[in-house]
Every structure is written in structure tokens, then in C-alpha cells.
Amino acid sequence: MPYRWKTKVDVDETIVVIMNVLDKNPDLPNWLIVTIIGSIADSDKKMVKYFFKEVEKNVPAALKYFESNQ
């Protein structure tokens, strides 16, 4: 998973990782949260907006991990 999202595909891959992890575990591991927060901080605002839209649409339970970074 890239630290900087350059395309919607990069974001989509991140969403799939989140969904897969939450399918197997009740919570996201800290390393993944930290990595995604880094992506939020380092990526273009359009990609960040797309990320939050896709999280809300596909895996809203994960919003709690990233809302403070919105």
C-alpha cells in the first residue's frame, strides 16, 4: 500500500485492505492505522476526500479510526 495515494486505484486498494482486515478481526491493527494516517497526511486532498467517501460507502465501521484526520 503506498504512503502517498496518487490515483483512485491506490485508494481502492487501501479500502480493500481495510475490508479484508475487518472481516477477520474486530479492529484494525495499529501499524495499519498509522500507515493510512500517513497516507491521509501525504496525499493530494482529492485523494483524501475520495478515501473518506469510499470508507463511508464500503466500510463505515472504519471511520472511527480516521475521523480526526478528516
Side-chain angles (χ1 to χ4, degrees):
M1 171 176 10
Y3 284 101
R4 181 174 291 162
W5 299 315
K6 295 180 181 175
T7 67
K8 288 183 175 183
V9 172
D10 295 337
V11 175
D12 293 342
E13 289 173 349
T14 303
I15 300 299
V16 169
V17 169
I18 292 170
M19 289 171 30
N20 287 341
V21 169
L22 289 178
D23 279 347
K24 296 179 182 177
N25 303 293
D27 294 305
L28 293 178
N30 192 53
W31 68 266
L32 182 57
I33 296 168
V34 169
T35 300
I36 294 171
I37 289 171
S39 296
I40 292 167
D42 293 344
S43 298
D44 181 89
K45 290 181 182 187
K46 290 178 187 175
M47 292 297 105
V48 174
K49 185 176 180 179
Y50 178 71
F51 168 77
F52 280 104
K53 182 180 125 194
E54 291 300 302
V55 169
E56 188 172 347
K57 177 178 156 187
N58 295 296
V59 61
L63 278 174
K64 65 183 178 185
Y65 298 104
F66 310 111
E67 283 178 322
S68 64
N69 297 281
Q70 205 168 12

